[in-house]
Amino acid sequence: MTHAVKFHPGLMLLEQYVEGSLSADVALAVSAHIDLCPHCQQLSKDITNDQAAVLAEQDVSGRDAEQEWQQMLNFITSQPTISSSASTHTDTAPQVASVSVNGRTFEIPRALARLAEKQNKWLHLGGIATAKLPTADKQHVSLLYIDKGTEVPNHTHLGLEMTLVLAGKIVDENGEYGVGDLLINSPDDTHTPRTLADEDCLCLSVLSAPLKFNKGLTRLLNPLQQFFY
Amino acid sequence: NTDNEPRTGQWEDALTLVALHQDKAAYAELFRYFAPRLRAFGIKMFGNEQQAMEMVQDAMLNVWRKARLFDASRGCASTWIFTIARNVRFDMLRKKQSRKDDISADDLWFDGDYPEQESNSSDSWDTMLMSEKLAPHFDALPPAQRMVMQKVYLEEKSHQEVSDELAIPLGTVKSRIRLALDRLREALDDTRS
Ligand SMILES: [Zn+2]
Ligand SMILES: [Zn+2]
């Protein structure tokens, strides 16, 4: 790791991710963060052990359904098992994939590899480009590319915004974010993200509601809102 | 004798027998322990019995079919079974609501090992743990983690002793210590989102 990840999902978010109770789009951002963050790799492994032990320790006495269980058991053990030749699971480092935009090619984390193969085409506006990833949700998971020396206009979040830096660096009023850093903005947070003069940036963006742009004429802002959401 | 205290290593041995010989008796032992517990987990997550049972059947079928993929050196049997059930449940929920081009459990949860990192030592925590500022946060730890911390740091027991005493895998003892330390760290500084 050339860059130490500084901004992580909180423990509660990681616990919900491990449990499988986060919405798929938020879980995707957390999963991609984990691919980039050794600290959270260890933590999520620990949380998985912890939750599995809690499950195994449960007291389930009191319900008698012997016949039902026996039927299920008979059904299962009558099924074929997979052959040993098929047992080639991934026990090596995760695969990486890449995406190209603005004449540049970037590596992206394992969690995004399959979806990025089916990404929508890049839409460009000034130095900014977005490409939606085809999730079955309300289509608000996208790759966001920001050319060097470019500013995303000041905006307020109407919902949750998660931005995971995949390459390069992004700066806003609250700090500087590098590869693996996960910015979470809540409803009513306002900021003006930008890139530095010498480095562009690729992010994963997850939005639960449109952005509200704060400057300029309303009729000019509406298309911008469509562009990001 | 479904609900006797499990012995450490019991489920790993059973899974190995299933993997090597498709041993139905070993599988039945696993099934009678885990199926009712997965059902309880399913009811908590789905809020209904029918889907919970559908999940149990799918998950336990995977345990039977894929036993060969279980690798005891990478973790304990209960963790493997829990992640199978979690993934089955997630994909069940998504299938009900959406198209096939979708985020799947395979995208979200990597079934493999990330490259090993140098472990960041928790030694500095030994002194931090004595700090009075930590006391209230210690009490706020989840009970299972507080129990392990108490046995290790206050009763000075080894990780193995705690594992035997609580009948939980050694890996889980270590995980609970790291999680408790991280929770205390999070309570002390707020660099997390
Ligand atoms: Zn992290
Ligand atoms: Zn924003």
Side-chain angles (χ1 to χ4, degrees):
Chain A
M1 282 277 119
T2 47
H3 163 88
V5 179
K6 283 184 308 226
F7 296 88
H8 307 272
L11 263 182
M12 201 200 286
L13 207 53
L14 277 179
E15 283 168 353
Q16 292 171 335
Y17 159 78
V18 168
E19 186 178 60
S21 55
L22 284 179
S23 72
D25 44 11
V26 173
L28 188 68
V30 173
S31 179
H33 168 82
I34 290 172
D35 285 335
L36 297 168
C37 178
H39 177 72
C40 289
Q41 284 163 21
Q42 181 66 60
L43 265 181
S44 59
K45 202 172 162 182
D46 289 334
I47 294 169
T48 309
N49 282 335
D50 182 52
Q51 288 187 5
V54 167
L55 182 141
E57 287 164 14
Q58 278 175 110
D59 176 19
V60 290
S61 56
R63 181 180 182 267
D64 202 310
E66 182 49 37
Q67 207 183 342
E68 201 179 349
W69 290 131
Q70 190 60 47
Q71 274 174 6
M72 193 188 284
L73 179 60
N74 292 345
F75 165 75
I76 289 174
T77 51
S78 70
Q79 299 296 305
T81 61
I82 56 159
S83 65
S84 53
S85 57
S87 61
T88 48
H89 70 125
T90 44
D91 52 5
T92 46
Q95 301 284 310
V96 284
S98 61
V99 296
S100 295
V101 56
N102 198 27
R104 302 254 288 127
T105 297
F106 299 96
E107 275 194 357
I108 55 163
R110 172 212 60 87
L112 307 177
R114 196 183 59 86
L115 292 165
E117 271 175 18
K118 304 178 193 166
Q119 73 179 58
N120 293 8
K121 64 172 190 294
W122 288 99
L123 303 174
H124 294 264
L125 184 72
I128 303 171
T130 66
K132 296 210 156 104
L133 298 185
T135 68
D137 289 312
K138 294 164 213 138
Q139 295 282 11
H140 47 221
V141 178
S142 48
L143 296 169
L144 171 64
Y145 171 82
I146 310 172
D147 205 351
K148 56 186 79 162
T150 303
E151 188 177 282
V152 176
N154 179 273
H155 59 270
T156 303
H157 306 98
L158 299 179
L160 181 76
E161 179 192 64
M162 296 177 87
T163 308
L164 175 68
V165 180
L166 302 174
K169 198 179 282 177
I170 197 168
V171 181
D172 73 4
E173 293 85 341
N174 308 309
E176 197 177 294
Y177 314 90
V179 177
D181 280 331
L182 182 68
L183 294 77
I184 302 181
N185 284 288
S186 311
D188 299 332
D189 287 350
T190 291
H191 70 155
T192 316
R194 63 184 171 85
T195 48
L196 301 175
D198 59 348
E199 197 173 20
D200 55 2
C201 179
L202 181 73
C203 301
L204 174 74
S205 163
V206 176
L207 287 171
S208 71
L211 304 177
K212 177 170 162 272
F213 290 93
N214 298 321
K215 289 176 188 150
L217 296 165
T218 313
R219 67 190 170 86
L220 292 179
L221 296 177
N222 280 335
L224 202 55
Q225 195 170 340
Q226 290 301 315
F227 179 78
F228 281 98
Y229 189 57
Chain B
N1 56 347
T2 333
D3 280 320
N4 288 348
E5 281 289 282
R7 151 179 76 76
T8 314
Q10 178 183 0
W11 307 128
E12 289 71 19
D13 295 349
L15 262 181
T16 307
L17 286 172
V18 177
L20 292 178
H21 311 296
Q22 293 162 40
D23 188 321
K24 291 189 183 182
Y27 180 79
E29 211 185 310
L30 276 168
F31 181 90
R32 290 188 182 286
Y33 190 80
F34 283 101
R37 286 166 173 83
L38 290 183
R39 175 184 166 276
F41 169 70
I43 288 174
K44 185 183 129 204
M45 303 300 285
F46 283 114
N48 84 68
E49 164 103 32
Q50 195 203 333
Q51 283 180 306
M53 287 303 270
E54 201 182 316
M55 181 205 77
V56 174
Q57 172 153 328
D58 245 35
M60 289 310 294
L61 180 60
N62 275 326
V63 171
W64 168 250
R65 296 190 63 232
K66 298 178 176 173
R68 280 198 183 86
L69 302 184
F70 172 70
D71 178 355
S73 70
R74 286 178 52 211
C76 53
S78 57
T79 302
W80 190 66
I81 295 172
F82 163 73
T83 56
I84 287 176
R86 187 256 330 261
N87 291 12
V88 162
R89 181 190 152 269
F90 181 84
D91 285 341
M92 271 174 68
L93 275 181
R94 297 300 286 179
K95 244 173 250 149
K96 288 226 161 64
Q97 325 164 326
S98 48
R99 315 182 307 247
K100 61 183 195 306
D101 259 11
D102 192 15
I103 299 172
S104 71
D106 286 344
D107 297 317
L108 296 184
W109 295 289
F110 175 50
D111 178 27
D113 286 323
Y114 290 103
E116 202 67 44
Q117 304 292 322
E118 306 100 87
S119 59
N120 44 358
S121 155
S122 58
D123 289 352
S124 58
W125 278 96
D126 286 1
T127 44
M128 284 296 279
L129 279 170
M130 297 192 296
S131 139
E132 276 174 40
K133 271 196 288 190
L134 272 182
H137 301 301
F138 191 89
D139 290 335
L141 290 172
Q145 291 171 20
R146 194 175 59 219
M147 169 84 84
V148 169
M149 291 295 280
Q150 182 172 332
K151 290 191 181 295
V152 171
Y153 286 96
L154 302 180
E155 299 168 26
E156 300 193 313
K157 294 192 164 119
S158 74
H159 295 179
Q160 187 60 58
E161 284 170 329
V162 177
S163 161
D164 294 341
E165 212 171 289
L166 298 176
I168 53 175
L170 183 59
T172 302
V173 173
K174 293 180 190 296
S175 288
R176 285 185 170 163
I177 292 169
R178 277 194 297 261
L179 286 175
L181 292 176
D182 205 78
R183 193 177 287 272
L184 294 173
R185 192 190 334 250
E186 194 177 80
L188 286 189
D189 67 13
D190 230 31
T191 55
R192 280 167 173 263
S193 313

Short mmCIF file of all heavy atoms in Angstrom, two decimals, chain A residues 1 12 34 53 61 70 73 75 96 113 122 148 177 182 200 202 225:
data_model
loop_
_atom_site.label_atom_id
_atom_site.label_comp_id
_atom_site.label_asym_id
_atom_site.label_seq_id
_atom_site.Cartn_x
_atom_site.Cartn_y
_atom_site.Cartn_z
N MET A 1 0.85 -1.21 0.00
CA MET A 1 0.00 0.00 0.00
C MET A 1 0.87 1.24 0.00
O MET A 1 1.65 1.47 0.91
CB MET A 1 -0.87 0.05 1.27
CG MET A 1 -2.08 -0.85 1.25
SD MET A 1 -3.51 -0.17 0.40
CE MET A 1 -3.72 -1.38 -0.90
N MET A 12 -20.22 0.19 13.07
CA MET A 12 -21.62 -0.22 12.93
C MET A 12 -21.94 -0.56 11.47
O MET A 12 -22.62 -1.53 11.18
CB MET A 12 -22.54 0.88 13.45
CG MET A 12 -23.91 0.35 13.81
SD MET A 12 -25.15 1.65 13.86
CE MET A 12 -24.68 2.45 15.39
N ILE A 34 -13.18 -2.25 1.46
CA ILE A 34 -12.46 -3.34 2.12
C ILE A 34 -11.40 -3.92 1.17
O ILE A 34 -10.29 -4.24 1.60
CB ILE A 34 -13.45 -4.42 2.59
CG1 ILE A 34 -14.27 -3.86 3.77
CG2 ILE A 34 -12.73 -5.71 3.00
CD1 ILE A 34 -15.42 -4.75 4.20
N ALA A 53 -20.02 -16.85 15.72
CA ALA A 53 -20.01 -17.46 17.06
C ALA A 53 -21.30 -17.14 17.80
O ALA A 53 -21.87 -17.99 18.48
CB ALA A 53 -18.79 -16.99 17.86
N SER A 61 -33.54 -24.14 22.08
CA SER A 61 -34.38 -25.18 22.65
C SER A 61 -35.84 -24.71 22.66
O SER A 61 -36.11 -23.51 22.66
CB SER A 61 -33.91 -25.50 24.07
OG SER A 61 -33.92 -24.31 24.83
N GLN A 70 -36.15 -33.91 9.77
CA GLN A 70 -35.74 -35.20 9.21
C GLN A 70 -35.98 -35.24 7.70
O GLN A 70 -35.14 -35.72 6.93
CB GLN A 70 -36.52 -36.34 9.90
CG GLN A 70 -35.98 -37.73 9.57
CD GLN A 70 -34.51 -37.92 9.98
OE1 GLN A 70 -34.13 -37.57 11.11
NE2 GLN A 70 -33.67 -38.44 9.08
N LEU A 73 -33.34 -33.14 6.02
CA LEU A 73 -32.05 -33.85 6.09
C LEU A 73 -32.01 -34.96 5.04
O LEU A 73 -31.01 -35.11 4.32
CB LEU A 73 -31.87 -34.41 7.50
CG LEU A 73 -30.60 -35.21 7.79
CD1 LEU A 73 -29.35 -34.38 7.53
CD2 LEU A 73 -30.60 -35.70 9.23
N PHE A 75 -33.73 -35.14 2.27
CA PHE A 75 -33.67 -34.53 0.94
C PHE A 75 -32.23 -34.12 0.61
O PHE A 75 -31.71 -34.43 -0.45
CB PHE A 75 -34.61 -33.32 0.86
CG PHE A 75 -34.32 -32.45 -0.34
CD1 PHE A 75 -34.70 -32.84 -1.62
CD2 PHE A 75 -33.65 -31.23 -0.19
CE1 PHE A 75 -34.43 -32.05 -2.73
CE2 PHE A 75 -33.36 -30.44 -1.30
CZ PHE A 75 -33.75 -30.85 -2.57
N VAL A 96 -8.17 -8.02 -10.06
CA VAL A 96 -8.46 -6.61 -10.30
C VAL A 96 -8.88 -6.44 -11.76
O VAL A 96 -8.47 -7.19 -12.62
CB VAL A 96 -7.25 -5.69 -10.01
CG1 VAL A 96 -7.08 -5.51 -8.52
CG2 VAL A 96 -6.00 -6.23 -10.65
N ALA A 113 -15.58 -5.30 -10.26
CA ALA A 113 -15.10 -5.84 -11.53
C ALA A 113 -16.25 -6.32 -12.43
O ALA A 113 -16.33 -5.95 -13.59
CB ALA A 113 -14.12 -6.98 -11.28
N TRP A 122 -19.70 6.54 -20.78
CA TRP A 122 -19.31 7.74 -20.05
C TRP A 122 -20.06 8.96 -20.59
O TRP A 122 -20.14 9.15 -21.80
CB TRP A 122 -17.81 7.98 -20.18
CG TRP A 122 -16.98 7.00 -19.40
CD1 TRP A 122 -16.36 5.89 -19.89
CD2 TRP A 122 -16.68 7.05 -18.00
NE1 TRP A 122 -15.69 5.23 -18.87
CE2 TRP A 122 -15.87 5.93 -17.70
CE3 TRP A 122 -17.02 7.93 -16.96
CZ2 TRP A 122 -15.40 5.66 -16.43
CZ3 TRP A 122 -16.54 7.67 -15.69
CH2 TRP A 122 -15.74 6.55 -15.43
N LYS A 148 -7.86 16.64 -13.74
CA LYS A 148 -7.04 17.47 -12.83
C LYS A 148 -7.51 18.92 -12.87
O LYS A 148 -8.01 19.41 -13.89
CB LYS A 148 -5.56 17.34 -13.19
CG LYS A 148 -5.20 17.67 -14.62
CD LYS A 148 -3.73 17.36 -14.92
CE LYS A 148 -3.47 15.88 -15.16
NZ LYS A 148 -2.17 15.64 -15.85
N TYR A 177 -8.57 13.35 0.39
CA TYR A 177 -8.86 11.93 0.36
C TYR A 177 -8.09 11.24 -0.75
O TYR A 177 -8.08 11.71 -1.88
CB TYR A 177 -10.36 11.71 0.16
CG TYR A 177 -11.21 12.60 1.04
CD1 TYR A 177 -11.61 13.86 0.61
CD2 TYR A 177 -11.53 12.21 2.34
CE1 TYR A 177 -12.35 14.70 1.43
CE2 TYR A 177 -12.26 13.04 3.18
CZ TYR A 177 -12.66 14.28 2.71
OH TYR A 177 -13.38 15.11 3.53
N LEU A 182 -12.97 6.56 2.16
CA LEU A 182 -14.42 6.54 1.97
C LEU A 182 -15.02 7.77 2.63
O LEU A 182 -14.96 7.92 3.85
CB LEU A 182 -15.01 5.27 2.59
CG LEU A 182 -16.51 5.06 2.45
CD1 LEU A 182 -16.90 4.81 1.00
CD2 LEU A 182 -16.97 3.88 3.31
N ASP A 200 -5.62 13.82 -11.57
CA ASP A 200 -7.05 13.56 -11.74
C ASP A 200 -7.50 12.51 -10.74
O ASP A 200 -6.71 12.06 -9.90
CB ASP A 200 -7.35 13.15 -13.19
CG ASP A 200 -6.51 11.96 -13.64
OD1 ASP A 200 -5.71 11.45 -12.82
OD2 ASP A 200 -6.62 11.57 -14.81
N LEU A 202 -10.44 9.13 -9.90
CA LEU A 202 -11.57 8.25 -10.22
C LEU A 202 -12.21 7.80 -8.91
O LEU A 202 -11.51 7.39 -7.98
CB LEU A 202 -11.11 7.02 -11.01
CG LEU A 202 -12.23 6.05 -11.41
CD1 LEU A 202 -13.09 6.64 -12.53
CD2 LEU A 202 -11.67 4.70 -11.83
N GLN A 225 -28.08 18.19 -12.13
CA GLN A 225 -28.63 17.27 -11.15
C GLN A 225 -28.85 15.90 -11.79
O GLN A 225 -28.49 14.87 -11.23
CB GLN A 225 -29.95 17.85 -10.64
CG GLN A 225 -30.46 17.21 -9.39
CD GLN A 225 -31.63 18.01 -8.84
OE1 GLN A 225 -31.82 19.18 -9.15
NE2 GLN A 225 -32.41 17.39 -8.03
#
